[in-house]
Amino acid sequence: MRVGEAKQRDVGKKRARIGPDAMDQLKVTPGDIIEVMGSRTSCAVVWPADEDEKSSDIMRIDGQTRKNVGASLNDIVKIRKATSKIAKSVVLIPVNDSVTVDKEFTDFVKNRLKGLPIVHGDEISVMILGNSMDFKISKTTPKYIVKIDRATNLTISTDALGDRKARVTYEEVGGLGHEIKAMREIVELPLKHPELFVRLGVEPHSGILLYGPPGCGKTLIAKVLASESEAHMFSINGPEIMNKYYGETEAKLRDIFKEAKDNSPSIIFIDEIDAIAPKREEAYGDVEKRVVAQLLALMDGLNDRGNVIVLGATNRPESIDPALRRPGRFDREFEISVPNEEGRLEILFIHTRGMPVADDVDLKELASELHGYTGADIKSLCREAALKSIRRYLPEIDLETEKISSEVLQSMQIKSIDFYDAMHDVVPTAMREFYVERPKVWWQDVGGLEDIKKSLTDNLIVAMKEPSKFTKMGIKPPKGALIYGPPGCGKTLIARALATETGANMILVKGPEILSKWIGESEKAVREIFRKARTSSPCVVIFDELDSLARYKSGEGGVGETVLSQLLTEIEEGTSSRVVVIGITNRPDILDNSLLRTGRLDLVLYVPPPDDKGRLEIIKILTKKMPLAGDVKLEEIAVTTQNYTGADLAALCREAAVQAMRNNTVKISSLDFANGMKQIKPSITKDVDQWYNTIRESISNVVPKSGDKSFYG
C-alpha cells in the first residue's frame, strides 16, 4: 500500500487508516493489529479510512510510525494481519531527555502505553503534562509484537540516547496542506530522487522564497521539509553572518554553500533574507551590495551547486533585491498567509494534543472566532489558556512542597472559559499596529433604529456571511456604508454592533489619527489599515470622523486630497466581500461625491435622533443594572426627554445616579431623574434638526455640498 499523511486526530495513536477493500482482503476489523513492512518492520492498529477518502490503496500513518517502518510519504509498503502477545517485560530508553525515574512515573508511562502494540527497536511518544516525550523500545520479552499489560514489568532507563536529530513531521504543520504538497514536489523529490531529473534532462529548482506575516509557519515548513526528506539542514540567520570586516561575510556564505554541497542532499535555509539581500539601489553600505552579489553568484553562478536547495523566508518580499527573484535563483514563491477557519482548527488540534481539555471546549467553534490569528498566535493562546487554568487550581496546591501530587495534576482541566479569557490577552500578530478588537455590542444593545438595523443586516451582514446569495442573483455585494447624523445618536455604536453580528474583527480608525505632516505617511497608513483588514478578514473597518479624511476636492492639492485618492482606491480595489468599510460623520455636507457612488460606500444611512419608542428602549438598556425606585416610570421619562440623543440619555441616567448618591439613598427615584433633567439639556435644537432634514430630503447618494445652507457656518 502507498503511505499517506495521517489525520491530526490520529497522531500519536499508532493508527493505520485503510479502506474497506483492503480490510476485506486482509480479513481484519477495526482494532486489529497489522504488520507494516518498509525498510524496517513495525506494527499499527487498523482503523477505517474516512468516507471521503478517494484512493483505496492509501494507508494513512503518522510521522513516528513512518519512521519506525523506514518509509516516507508516497512510498510503497507491505502489510499483513498480525497477532500480539502480552509482554512479560519491556525496557524503554528516553531518546533525548534524561529523566528521574520513580514508581509513580513508571506507572504513569505504563498506563499511557497500555494496549498499544509495540515492536523491539520502535520509537514511541508519551504525552506527559502536555509535552511529548520520546522513548526507544530497547528490549521486549517475548520478542515480536507485544502489548503492555498491568502485569508487564516495565523498566525505564535514566540515561538518554542523545545525539539524535529532532524530527519534525508533516503532522506538526496545520492549515498549509496545499503549500506543503506543492513544496514536497519541488524540494523532496529532487533531494531523494535526483535521477528523475537527470533522465528528463532538466535541472531541479534551485530555490524557494517563502513570504508572509510573522508567525505563519515559514521556518517550521523549512524544518519539516529537511526532516522528512532526511536532508542536512544549514540555517543562516540574516544578521548573524554580517561582519564588519571586508570580505568576511561573503567568505561565510561560500563556506556554508560548500559544506552543504559536500553533505548533499542539503537544504540551506536563509531566515530574514531581506536583512542580507536588500535592494542594492537602496542599500546604504557597501557590505550589503557585496553580499547580494555573492548570493547571486552562489545560487546561479558558473560553479555547480550540487544537490542543494535554498529556502528563503521573509515578511518583507518587496525589500529583496529583484535579481534574486528570477528563475534560476528563487524559482518559486509561496505566500504563507494567515490560516483560514479550517487551518486554525488543524493548528488547535496540534497544540491541544497533549492538553487536558475539558468536554465543554468546542475547538471548531473556537477556531471560527479566531479571525486573524496566526499559528504562533494560536500556540500563545493555548499556553495562556493553560496559565489561566493553573490560577484556578492554585488554592488547592501547596506550593511549599517539592512535588505536586499526581491526583491534583490528573484532575487539572482547561475549560472553555480559559480560552475565551486568553483571547483578551493574546492580540493577533496581524493586528498589532492597528489594534483590531473583538466588539461585544449586539443589536439588542442598540435602542431603536430598527430600519437601519434591517438595512445593514440585509446588505452587509449577508454580504459577509453568505456572499454567494449576491452572486446567485448576478450582482456584487455592497462594500460599505456611510452612516451620518447628529452627534450622540448611536452611529459608532451601531457600527460596532454590526461587527459583532457578523462575527468579524473590527478596526476602528479615528480620522485625524492617521494624518501626518510627512509626505506619503498618511497614504501609507491607509494602505496598511486595509492590508491588516484583509489579513484578519472578515473585518469591519470603521472610519470615525470620516470628514477629516475625505473632504471634497477643492483643487488646491495638499495631503487631504492624496489621502482621499488613496482611500478611494483601497475601497474600490482593495476590499472584498470579507472586508466591509463603514464611514461615520456628522458633517456629510463636506464629503467628496466620489466616495458615495456605487462600488464604494454603497449604502447611505441617516441615524435620526431617537423617537419616543427609541428613547424608551435606550433608557431600558441604560437602566438595566441600576437600582430604580418603584416610582420611576420609564415611559414618562421617554416622553419628557424629547430631542435627547442616546448620549444625552446616558448622561441623564448618570446624573440621576449621582443625585441619589448625594442624598445617600440606596435607590434612584423619579425626583433624581427630574433633577438630572435640569442639569442635562437636549443636544438637538430646532436648527440642527432642520439642517439634517434638508440634507436627508436631498440625498440621492450625493449629499449637498458647502454651498447649501448650513448651521455650521
Side-chain angles (χ1 to χ4, degrees):
M1 294 197 75
R2 191 173 294 278
V3 176
E5 192 177 342
K7 303 288 184 183
Q8 286 298 337
R9 61 183 182 273
D10 294 336
V11 175
K13 296 177 181 176
K14 290 209 78 166
R15 287 176 181 171
R17 287 190 181 267
I18 58 177
D21 294 342
M23 289 175 74
D24 291 342
Q25 196 175 340
L26 291 169
K27 296 179 181 176
V28 293
T29 57
D32 287 349
I33 296 167
I34 56 170
E35 195 175 26
V36 186
M37 293 163 281
S39 60
R40 281 190 75 255
T41 299
S42 186
C43 59
V45 180
V46 174
W47 219 251
D50 290 348
E51 291 180 2
D52 59 350
E53 183 67 71
K54 294 175 182 175
S55 303
S56 58
D57 65 333
I58 282 184
M59 177 181 67
R60 297 195 176 276
I61 52 177
D62 64 14
Q64 192 166 61
T65 309
R66 292 200 301 271
K67 185 179 184 234
N68 288 336
V69 299
S72 301
L73 291 179
N74 291 328
D75 285 358
I76 304 292
V77 295
K78 293 179 180 178
I79 60 172
R80 67 183 179 197
K81 188 176 180 180
T83 55
S84 65
K85 297 179 180 178
I86 300 298
K88 292 179 181 178
S89 66
V90 174
V91 179
L92 302 180
I93 302 176
V95 174
N96 278 335
D97 306 309
S98 300
V99 293
T100 304
V101 180
D102 54 15
K103 188 178 182 304
E104 194 176 22
F105 180 76
T106 305
D107 290 345
F108 178 84
V109 173
K110 185 195 283 188
N111 198 44
R112 286 299 174 101
L113 295 178
K114 197 180 291 180
L116 281 179
I118 55 175
V119 175
H120 169 71
D122 276 4
E123 282 188 13
I124 196 157
S125 296
V126 178
M127 282 296 187
I128 300 173
L129 299 177
N131 294 310
S132 179
M133 182 173 277
D134 294 337
F135 295 94
K136 191 175 182 70
I137 299 159
S138 69
K139 189 178 179 183
T140 65
T141 306
K143 292 183 178 180
Y144 197 52
I145 301 172
V146 296
K147 282 185 178 180
I148 292 175
D149 190 73
R150 189 178 293 175
T152 303
N153 179 28
L154 182 69
T155 308
I156 301 174
S157 172
T158 53
D159 297 324
L161 288 173
D163 299 327
R164 172 185 172 269
K165 194 165 61 174
R167 182 176 173 86
V168 190
T169 63
Y170 289 121
E171 286 85 12
E172 300 301 313
V173 184
L176 296 169
H178 295 297
E179 291 84 353
I180 288 284
K181 189 178 177 183
M183 289 177 65
R184 277 189 61 224
E185 293 172 356
I186 297 171
V187 177
E188 203 175 307
L189 206 59
L191 289 177
K192 295 181 79 172
H193 303 288
E195 64 275 9
L196 289 173
F197 293 85
V198 174
R199 176 68 184 92
L200 294 170
V202 293
E203 286 189 5
H205 289 81
S206 56
I208 297 172
L209 182 66
L210 307 174
Y211 66 94
C216 286
K218 299 185 293 293
T219 308
L220 182 62
I221 284 175
K223 287 179 180 176
V224 168
L225 287 169
S227 180
E228 288 279 2
S229 59
E230 296 180 352
H232 292 91
M233 186 168 173
F234 298 87
S235 187
I236 302 173
N237 290 319
E240 284 181 7
I241 67 159
M242 301 303 281
N243 197 303
K244 66 180 180 179
Y245 295 108
Y246 197 91
E248 284 293 316
T249 308
E250 298 93 302
K252 277 187 183 178
L253 276 175
R254 288 195 297 273
D255 290 344
I256 291 169
F257 272 79
K258 184 178 182 301
E259 193 179 351
K261 185 181 176 182
D262 294 341
N263 293 280
S264 64
S266 305
I267 292 175
I268 298 174
F269 177 59
I270 309 175
D271 207 1
E272 308 298 340
I273 192 171
D274 55 282
I276 65 168
K279 290 180 178 176
R280 282 171 287 182
E281 64 269 20
E282 295 177 6
Y284 293 108
D286 188 43
V287 177
E288 288 88 351
K289 294 176 183 177
R290 294 201 316 271
V291 169
V292 174
Q294 180 65 75
L295 198 57
L296 294 174
L298 288 168
M299 288 189 70
D300 190 24
L302 295 173
N303 297 327
D304 181 29
R305 192 182 62 255
N307 197 10
V308 177
I309 287 180
V310 183
L311 293 181
T314 180
N315 53 6
R316 298 175 60 199
E318 70 283 349
S319 302
I320 299 171
D321 194 272
L324 273 172
R325 299 177 70 180
R326 71 149 177 82
R329 284 154 186 163
F330 286 117
D331 302 90
R332 293 286 298 276
E333 296 184 3
F334 289 95
E335 184 180 5
I336 312 299
S337 59
V338 176
N340 57 14
E341 187 176 330
E342 190 181 332
R344 294 195 295 269
L345 182 59
E346 284 185 24
I347 297 166
L348 276 170
F349 271 128
I350 292 167
H351 292 301
T352 57
R353 200 181 287 156
M355 295 170 69
V357 178
D359 294 336
D360 67 336
V361 177
D362 187 345
L363 292 181
K364 195 169 183 180
E365 186 182 334
L366 186 63
S368 67
E369 297 187 29
L370 296 176
H371 307 299
Y373 278 69
T374 64
D377 295 330
I378 293 172
K379 185 180 179 180
S380 178
L381 179 78
C382 294
R383 183 172 60 241
E384 195 62 37
L387 289 172
K388 298 278 184 192
S389 71
I390 290 172
R391 288 168 198 157
R392 195 170 56 251
Y393 288 99
L394 277 177
E396 302 174 25
I397 299 171
D398 183 9
L399 297 176
E400 297 298 320
T401 58
E402 288 187 12
K403 200 170 182 182
I404 299 166
S405 68
S406 60
E407 289 81 12
V408 173
L409 291 175
Q410 291 297 329
S411 67
M412 292 178 76
Q413 281 191 321
I414 302 167
K415 296 183 177 179
S416 179
I417 188 70
D418 298 323
F419 282 100
Y420 285 99
D421 286 346
M423 284 170 68
H424 296 295
D425 297 334
V426 181
V427 180
T429 308
M431 315 169 190
R432 296 265 164 91
E433 287 177 39
F434 298 96
Y435 180 60
V436 179
E437 55 185 298
R438 305 298 308 279
K440 294 299 174 193
V441 184
W442 300 88
W443 279 153
Q444 64 258 31
D445 300 321
V446 182
L449 307 175
E450 296 303 326
D451 292 341
I452 292 173
K453 290 178 190 174
K454 191 173 185 311
S455 182
L456 289 171
T457 301
D458 293 345
N459 287 276
L460 299 184
I461 292 180
V462 174
M464 293 186 80
K465 285 188 170 181
E466 301 174 90
S468 58
K469 283 190 175 182
F470 287 88
T471 52
K472 282 178 184 174
M473 300 300 289
I475 57 174
K476 290 182 179 178
K479 292 186 175 182
L482 174 72
I483 302 174
Y484 74 99
C489 288
K491 299 185 295 294
T492 306
L493 188 68
I494 203 164
R496 285 173 174 268
L498 170 72
T500 305
E501 292 290 336
T502 57
N505 292 308
M506 180 184 74
I507 300 179
L508 182 59
V509 184
K510 303 285 177 61
E513 285 179 352
I514 63 173
L515 293 174
S516 172
K517 66 179 180 179
W518 306 108
I519 295 173
E521 284 299 312
S522 303
E523 298 88 326
K524 185 181 175 184
V526 171
R527 288 195 301 273
E528 193 65 15
I529 287 166
F530 279 91
R531 188 183 70 80
K532 297 276 185 186
R534 288 190 292 274
T535 304
S536 55
S537 66
C539 187
V540 177
V541 184
I542 302 171
F543 286 94
D544 210 354
E545 309 299 337
L546 183 63
D547 49 276
S548 63
L549 296 175
R551 289 176 178 257
Y552 67 93
K553 294 177 181 177
S554 60
E556 296 175 3
V559 70
E561 293 195 7
T562 56
V563 170
L564 173 61
S565 300
Q566 186 68 58
L567 190 62
L568 294 173
T569 305
E570 290 293 339
I571 293 174
E572 189 162 8
E573 297 178 5
T575 59
S576 64
S577 61
R578 306 283 285 169
V579 178
V580 164
V581 181
I582 305 291
I584 298 172
T585 183
N586 54 8
R587 290 295 309 274
D589 60 312
I590 59 175
L591 289 179
D592 195 84
N593 285 339
S594 55
L595 194 65
L596 300 176
R597 73 154 175 81
T598 304
R600 286 165 183 163
L601 299 183
D602 302 80
L603 299 174
V604 179
L605 301 171
Y606 173 59
V607 179
D611 55 11
D612 291 357
K613 185 184 174 184
R615 288 197 298 275
L616 179 59
E617 285 185 27
I618 293 168
I619 293 166
K620 282 180 178 177
I621 292 166
L622 292 169
T623 58
K624 193 186 295 180
K625 296 181 181 179
M626 294 173 70
L628 300 179
D631 63 339
V632 176
K633 302 281 190 299
L634 297 182
E635 292 81 2
E636 290 181 6
I637 298 172
V639 172
T640 53
T641 51
Q642 198 170 0
N643 292 331
Y644 277 68
T645 65
D648 296 336
L649 292 171
L652 173 63
C653 292
R654 186 172 59 249
E655 185 61 33
V658 170
Q659 292 286 341
M661 287 189 290
R662 282 176 187 161
N663 300 329
N664 289 323
T665 55
V666 180
K667 293 191 174 182
I668 304 165
S669 66
S670 60
L671 182 63
D672 296 325
F673 276 99
N675 290 331
M677 288 179 70
K678 292 176 184 176
Q679 301 293 325
I680 308 298
K681 301 296 181 185
S683 301
I684 306 297
T685 63
K686 189 178 177 182
D687 288 341
V688 172
D689 195 43
Q690 187 183 346
W691 188 81
Y692 278 104
N693 280 330
T694 306
I695 284 186
R696 194 181 169 196
E697 287 167 9
S698 48
I699 260 188
S700 60
N701 255 23
V702 179
V703 290
K705 291 292 160 274
S706 58
D708 301 299
K709 178 188 175 185
S710 170
F711 71 92
Y712 285 105

